[in-house]
Structures are given as structure tokens and as C-alpha cells.
Amino acid sequence: WLINYGSLSLFGLLVLGIVALPIPEETLMIIAGVLMSKGKLNISSTMLAAYSGSICGITSSYIIGHTAGHYLMQKYGRYVGITEKKLKKIHDWFEHFGKWTLVIGYFIPGVRHFTGFLAGTTYYEFPHFATYAYSGALLWVSTFLGIGYFFGGYWSELFESIEVSADFLFIFAAIIFLGYLGYQVHKKRRSSKLF
């Protein structure tokens, strides 16, 4: 995709990957860095596409959380133990510590998929969100494009195996969460039928 469609594919895949599709973003950026070092991708357009894609992805996640997240948490949160009081605590936590999660969360597969959504859901102020999330995107993209550009031949196999393992863990955690959610719904329905 990178060779055939260039920077446009990198942009689109990073947006979709950050919003929550299981796309190996780190591996993708390392490969893009390797292709840049070999002259197969334009350096400036690839870097711009990677930065823009990660920023658009986290912003989309924030908007989804801001527009639908609070409603979803109010309607279905009780099934997983999320109350209005807990949402307020999460907002306060974001005010004090969550901003650093927006920066560091990019480097942890699974976490980066939820930080923007949670920030939007708890109505974390957009200027603060943008400052930390966009700084994190810049650091994350620079790190992995740089690894690919300077050390691509040595590191690409290692990071590919790490990414596959991390994606597997993320999918496994999602299955466990959905199973728990189903169990809570079933338990609640069963107890309401008894009374």
C-alpha cells in the first residue's frame, strides 16, 4: 500500500488505526521510514501524512467521545459499573494526570485507542487535549519513522513481532471485556425476572 498509494495510504491507515481498527501502526511507520531512506517515499510528504494521520485519528476519537461517549456511558455504563460520579472522577483525573496519558499513550497499543475517546467522553477541554495529544503524536511519529529511517533493516522484524503480540493482547482484552459486559447484562436481566 505504501509503495502503490504513498503518503495517502499512510495517512488513512493511521487515522483508522488510532480510531480503533487493528492496524499495526508502529510497523507501518517503520516500513515508511525504511522506504524513505531508500528513496521510495518522499520524506516531507510522508512525514506530513504521518503527523496529520495521527492527529486526525486522535481528534476523531475525541469527537466520537465528545458527541456520543457521554450518552453511551449514561445509557449503558451501569452495566459495567460506570456511573456519573465515576465519569466526574475520570474527568478530574484527566485534569491532573490524563494529559500525560495523551502523550505517552501513543506508545502503548490499546491505550492510544481509548485516550481520545475518554478525553471526549469526560468533556476534557479541547485546547488542553490538543496540546498534549498533538505533542504525543509528534513524538510518536518521529520516533517510529526515525527508527525505520535510521535502523530499519535491523529493527523492522523485531517491531513487527511486538506489534503482532500487542494486537493479539488488545483483541484478547476486548473479547474479555465484551464477555464481562454480556455476563453483567445477563445477570441483571436474570435478577429482574426473579423479582
Side-chain angles (χ1 to χ4, degrees):
W1 281 39
L2 287 173
I3 292 172
N4 292 336
Y5 304 107
S7 302
L8 186 61
S9 65
L10 182 62
F11 171 83
L13 290 169
L14 285 175
V15 170
L16 294 174
I18 292 173
V19 170
L21 291 181
I23 294 171
E25 297 100 340
E26 286 93 350
T27 304
L28 185 67
M29 288 189 289
I30 289 172
I31 292 169
V34 171
L35 293 173
M36 286 188 323
S37 71
K38 293 182 177 182
K40 294 185 178 182
L41 287 177
N42 180 283
I43 293 174
S44 58
S45 64
T46 302
M47 291 178 71
L48 181 63
Y51 295 136
S52 301
S54 59
I55 287 170
C56 287
I58 198 82
T59 304
S60 299
S61 186
Y62 177 87
I63 291 169
I64 291 168
H66 193 73
T67 56
H70 199 75
Y71 168 76
L72 291 172
M73 293 297 181
Q74 284 182 327
K75 186 161 181 153
Y76 301 108
R78 64 178 178 261
Y79 297 116
V80 291
I82 297 175
T83 62
E84 192 67 37
K85 188 176 180 181
K86 286 185 180 175
L87 282 175
K88 172 73 171 109
K89 282 185 181 180
I90 293 170
H91 175 78
D92 293 343
W93 181 83
F94 252 105
E95 287 290 334
H96 297 296
F97 307 107
K99 54 192 171 193
W100 300 113
T101 305
L102 288 167
V103 175
I104 299 166
Y106 279 100
F107 292 89
I108 307 167
V111 172
R112 72 173 157 265
H113 300 98
F114 293 108
T115 54
F117 180 80
L118 281 175
T121 299
T122 59
Y123 298 120
Y124 188 58
E125 293 78 12
F126 186 78
H128 295 151
F129 163 80
T131 300
Y132 291 98
Y134 297 172
S135 299
L138 185 69
L139 181 63
W140 180 60
V141 168
S142 299
T143 300
F144 285 97
L145 284 178
I147 288 171
Y149 188 83
F150 296 109
F151 308 105
Y154 304 108
W155 292 92
S156 60
E157 290 180 21
L158 174 66
F159 277 100
E160 189 173 86
S161 66
I162 290 171
E163 183 71 29
V164 169
S165 300
D167 285 346
F168 174 76
L169 289 174
F170 175 70
I171 290 168
F172 181 71
I175 290 169
I176 296 291
F177 175 74
L178 291 174
Y180 174 76
L181 183 63
Y183 171 75
Q184 291 295 331
V185 169
H186 175 72
K187 186 173 141 184
K188 188 154 185 100
R189 285 184 183 165
R190 191 169 155 219
S191 67
S192 65
K193 285 181 182 177
L194 293 176
F195 297 105

